Amino acid sequence: MVTAGGFSISRGQVPLDKAIKTIGLHEVNVVLHPEVRVRVTINVARTEDEAERQARGEDVLAEAVEEEAAEAPAAEALFEEGAAPKPAEETEES
């Protein structure tokens, strides 16, 4: 149940045709009465700061991918010395 601004909305009032499994802004219908439906945008985020940034229009998922790529070690760092494949010009000469 969500209660905000003096209104309460139960889970049954928000029919979903598919599960929401991604971070971001999603539009859903809320059934206030059998004849009254409203379309609202819900903000799915990991933190309050992330939710505020999404509400301003920032793409937080693109930034997260860029940060992960910058933090990932180079492929060469994952191999022991001499265990990496030989460059193509070395294998052709042999």
Side-chain angles (χ1 to χ4, degrees), residues 1-68:
M1 175 164 302
V2 176
T3 303
F7 296 98
S8 295
I9 300 171
S10 69
R11 182 180 211 169
Q13 290 177 281
V14 186
L16 297 176
D17 53 346
K18 62 183 189 288
I20 297 173
K21 296 184 176 186
T22 58
I23 292 172
L25 302 174
H26 304 274
E27 292 208 358
V28 297
N29 287 316
V30 177
V31 181
L32 300 175
H33 185 272
E35 297 174 3
V36 180
R37 292 178 181 256
V38 292
R39 193 144 183 89
V40 297
T41 302
I42 60 170
N43 190 339
V44 179
R46 293 172 284 219
T47 64
E48 188 71 32
D49 177 56
E50 188 175 78
E52 290 172 5
R53 291 173 41 213
Q54 285 182 152
R56 289 192 305 261
E58 292 182 36
D59 186 359
V60 296
L61 289 178
E63 291 176 9
V65 169
E66 290 172 4
E67 289 173 5
E68 287 176 8

